[in-house]
Amino acid sequence: MPATARDLLAEKNSSVVYTVDAATPVVEACRLMELKRIGCLLVTREARVEGIFTEWDVVARVVAAGRDPSAVRVGEVMTPEVVMVPADEPIDRMEALMRARRFRHLPVAGEKGKLLGLLSIGDVAAWRARPGAVAADAAVVAL
């Protein structure tokens, strides 16, 4: 049976997902990302995911646009379309999705859409590089 998002989350041993409110100034969100050494924050309101705020959002929508990160709110520059995968999503399909859509982070949802964790393309790469990685896990899946 192919490995799944659930397997990756268990291996990663971290269910911590850092979140931020849409009204948070970009500079504060960036400080949290730097402190925690992470590449994104989920933007939530009342435990509901409203968007994702990534390093790319900072570069493209704040810095390159000449905007003041102290004056801009996360909600103004976040990516509002968040793709989430179920816990039973095979790793090869997650990797294919990330490559096809050109993003590096995937939230994982359990039953009723409850957020279980966040996986990155780096987590997928680490899984593939682990000793004893199964060649079948590396199959390419067309989306």
Side-chain angles (χ1 to χ4, degrees):
M1 181 164 176
T4 65
R6 180 179 288 109
D7 297 323
L8 230 69
L9 287 173
E11 181 86 11
K12 186 176 177 177
N13 196 24
S14 175
S15 60
V16 175
V17 177
Y18 294 98
T19 64
V20 67
D21 185 270
T24 303
V26 166
V27 69
E28 286 181 31
C30 288
R31 286 182 181 135
L32 176 60
M33 291 167 63
E34 190 276 328
L35 178 69
K36 299 300 180 180
R37 300 181 54 99
I38 55 176
C40 75
L41 297 165
L42 289 182
V43 183
T44 59
R45 181 180 306 219
E46 298 174 11
R48 195 180 90 249
V49 176
E50 291 189 328
I52 188 166
F53 178 69
T54 69
E55 298 158 319
W56 178 251
D57 295 323
V58 176
V59 170
R61 298 180 180 146
V62 181
V63 177
R67 299 176 75 182
D68 178 359
S70 298
V72 177
R73 305 292 176 205
V74 168
E76 297 172 50
V77 295
M78 70 181 184
T79 301
E81 304 85 26
V82 180
V83 175
M84 296 180 79
V85 295
D88 61 355
E89 186 78 4
I91 291 173
D92 54 350
R93 286 195 46 82
M94 288 180 1
E95 183 176 20
L97 175 65
M98 293 168 112
R99 288 180 189 277
R101 299 282 301 272
R102 299 185 51 88
F103 49 68
R104 298 183 300 159
H105 303 92
L106 270 178
V108 179
E111 292 186 25
K112 299 182 183 176
K114 181 180 185 251
L115 185 63
L116 298 178
L118 184 72
L119 294 172
S120 71
I121 193 70
D123 296 327
V124 173
W127 177 268
R128 298 259 188 248
R130 78 194 191 291
V134 179
D137 281 347
V140 176
V141 174
L143 294 178

